[in-house]
């Protein structure tokens, strides 16, 4: 998995489901099992454990990886799997005033991160993994590296965050210089860049824009260094801000991305432009936001209102 540059979270998920699959079949070696055992396990996840459809898909991907990439066994097509039902839900969207109320209940670095998520349409981890070199103040854009599907893309840099972002960079640079002075100051580099550019891991341009408040031990390399801000700290701050703003919608950090797309479409921007900013492979994925706009009954007068007009 590391040779294929899987993220740490994917690695953990795959190992968990491979182990669970082996335990489910009484610790039989996977080489002695095949399509029928995979079918039984995945059906068990759906019918007995009632897992979400996305969880069942991750488990299937883990097992396919095990057989194809690790054991070198090509499996036949696995049919008749009892599938977990994927609910057809429209994304939750905050109104513009709700977004402003959420931001009003945030401060410091959390306020800046959430402003960026709403102002750029980035996913939470895309925002937290942002590096100094990927912000272009002159061209007013941000380069999102290695997004979903291992794709790079450009998104806009909102004018309103430029000054606080520059202030954050000064603070991050000061922190980086302090780390260098005491023998630290390295950062994790993607793929094999650490071997290609041996000194790059100490360079300012490669540092995270939102560094963690403390150094930590990398679980893979066992090197002590400063990672980016912990995602759960931002998620918790957003949840509290939503509660303080007295918003009853069940939303979170990703809801800001949905709100970004919906509000751009409300403002009349072309759906292809929104697709590129979000990094969607297929415009059909972006089309869900047009359904959000249409489901509210815009332009339709309720018969109740007509009776009392």
């Amino acid at each position: 998995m590391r040779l294929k540059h899987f993220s740490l979270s994917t690695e953990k998920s795959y190992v968990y489901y491979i182990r669970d699959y082996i335990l489910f079949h009484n610790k039989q070696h996977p080489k002695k099992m095949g399509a029928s055992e995979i079918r039984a396990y995945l059906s068990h996840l759906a019918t007995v454990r009632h897992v979400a459809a996305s969880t069942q898909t991750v488990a299937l991907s883990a097992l396919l990886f095990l057989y194809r990439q690790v054991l070198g066994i090509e499996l036949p097509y696995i049919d008749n799997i009892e599938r977990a039902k994927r609910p057809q839900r429209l994304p939750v969207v905050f109104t513009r005033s709700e977004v402003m109320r959420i931001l009003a209940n945030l401060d410091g670095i959390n306020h800046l991160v959430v402003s960026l998520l709403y102002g750029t349409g980035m996913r939470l981890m895309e925002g937290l993994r942002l590096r100094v070199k990927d912000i272009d103040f002159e061209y007013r854009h941000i380069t999102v590296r290695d997004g979903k599907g291992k794709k790079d893309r450009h998104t806009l840099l909102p004018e309103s965050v430029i000054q606080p972002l520059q202030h954050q960079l000064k603070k991050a640079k000061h922190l980086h210089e302090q780390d260098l002075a005491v023998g630290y100051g390295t950062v994790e580099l993607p793929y094999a860049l650490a071997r290609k550019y041996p000194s790059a891991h100490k360079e300012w341009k490669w540092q995270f824009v939102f560094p963690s408040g403390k150094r930590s031990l990398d679980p893979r390399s066992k090197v002590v260094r400063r990672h980016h801000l912990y995602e759960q700290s931002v998620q918790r701050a957003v949840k509290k801000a939503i509660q303080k703003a007295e918003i009853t919608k069940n939303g979170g950090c990703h809801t800001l991305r949905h709100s970004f797309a919906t509000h751009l479409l409300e403002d009349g921007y072309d759906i292809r432009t929104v697709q590129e900013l979000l990094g969607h492979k297929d415009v059909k994925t972006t089309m869900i936001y047009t359904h959000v706009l249409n489901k509210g009954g815009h332009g339709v007068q309720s018969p109740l209102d007509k009776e009392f007009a």
Side-chain angles (χ1 to χ4, degrees):
M1 283 188 266
R2 292 180 190 179
L3 285 171
K4 299 207 174 270
H5 310 299
F6 284 14
S7 69
L8 184 60
S9 59
T10 302
E11 183 180 310
K12 287 180 178 178
S13 295
Y14 276 27
V15 169
Y16 172 82
Y17 286 110
I18 290 168
R19 177 183 171 82
D20 193 54
Y21 165 70
I22 293 168
L23 292 175
F24 176 75
H25 288 294
N26 301 313
K27 300 184 181 179
Q28 288 188 71
H29 196 284
K31 279 187 176 180
K32 296 180 180 178
M33 300 187 283
S36 60
E37 285 80 9
I38 292 174
R39 185 184 302 110
Y41 173 66
L42 294 175
S43 297
H44 169 79
L45 290 180
T47 59
V48 178
R49 296 195 198 173
H50 306 292
V51 301
S54 57
T55 302
Q56 190 187 42
T57 302
V58 171
L60 174 59
S61 299
L63 297 179
L64 292 177
F65 181 86
L66 170 68
Y67 279 94
R68 292 173 180 172
Q69 305 295 330
V70 182
L71 302 176
I73 298 172
E74 192 61 40
L75 293 167
Y77 177 73
I78 305 172
D79 56 1
N80 298 323
I81 297 173
E82 190 71 34
R83 288 286 186 179
K85 291 185 179 179
R86 187 181 296 276
Q88 297 296 314
R89 294 195 183 102
L90 291 172
V92 176
V93 173
F94 294 131
T95 64
R96 295 166 200 260
S97 63
E98 285 172 340
V99 173
M100 293 303 107
R101 279 156 53 198
I102 291 168
L103 287 171
N105 285 286
L106 291 166
D107 54 22
I109 198 166
N110 288 322
H111 185 279
L112 178 54
V113 171
V114 172
S115 297
L116 265 180
L117 297 183
Y118 173 63
T120 65
M122 287 190 291
R123 300 173 179 90
L124 174 59
M125 292 308 297
E126 290 173 344
L128 296 183
R129 288 173 180 154
L130 196 62
R131 296 182 192 255
V132 174
K133 67 181 184 63
D134 295 325
I135 301 174
D136 193 319
F137 289 104
E138 193 169 335
Y139 279 107
R140 299 292 194 265
H141 73 227
I142 291 173
T143 303
V144 180
R145 304 283 183 189
D146 204 20
K148 196 172 182 179
K150 303 295 179 184
K151 295 181 295 182
D152 292 355
R153 72 178 190 277
H154 285 313
T155 188
L156 67 161
L157 174 61
E159 293 280 344
S160 56
V161 302
I162 288 176
Q163 190 173 346
L165 198 52
Q166 288 173 334
H167 179 65
Q168 168 60 24
L169 288 173
K170 287 180 182 178
K171 289 170 63 178
K173 190 171 186 180
H174 179 65
L175 193 61
H176 175 55
E177 288 169 350
Q178 284 183 324
D179 284 345
L180 287 173
V182 291
Y184 295 101
T186 64
V187 70
E188 180 188 9
L189 293 180
Y191 308 139
L193 284 174
R195 290 195 299 273
K196 190 174 181 181
Y197 307 110
S199 62
H201 63 316
K202 287 190 175 183
E203 291 178 12
W204 164 237
K205 67 180 180 181
W206 284 101
Q207 303 302 308
F208 291 117
V209 175
F210 302 108
S212 172
K214 60 182 180 179
R215 293 184 292 269
S216 58
L217 184 72
D218 188 289
R220 287 175 169 173
S221 66
K222 307 303 179 185
V223 175
V224 175
R225 55 191 170 202
R226 198 177 295 276
H227 204 49
H228 58 66
L229 199 64
Y230 192 41
E231 61 268 26
Q232 287 192 3
S233 66
V234 181
Q235 290 168 338
R236 284 193 292 265
V238 169
K239 286 291 183 184
K240 286 181 181 177
I242 292 170
Q243 290 171 358
K244 287 181 180 178
E246 298 182 344
I247 297 169
T248 56
K249 293 175 182 175
N250 186 27
C253 290
H254 204 70
T255 312
L256 297 160
R257 177 173 161 88
H258 297 322
S259 305
F260 165 84
T262 305
H263 297 165
L264 284 182
L265 291 172
E266 282 179 345
D267 289 340
Y269 287 99
D270 180 73
I271 194 163
R272 293 285 183 182
T273 302
V274 179
Q275 178 194 357
E276 287 180 14
L277 292 172
L278 292 174
H280 287 160
K281 184 178 180 181
D282 194 330
V283 73
K284 289 180 182 177
T285 309
T286 320
M287 288 290 288
I288 187 70
Y289 300 110
T290 63
H291 297 313
V292 174
L293 293 174
N294 295 334
K295 286 289 182 178
H298 297 299
V300 178
Q301 185 182 23
S302 167
L304 179 65
D305 293 339
K306 194 169 184 179
E307 289 297 326
F308 287 97

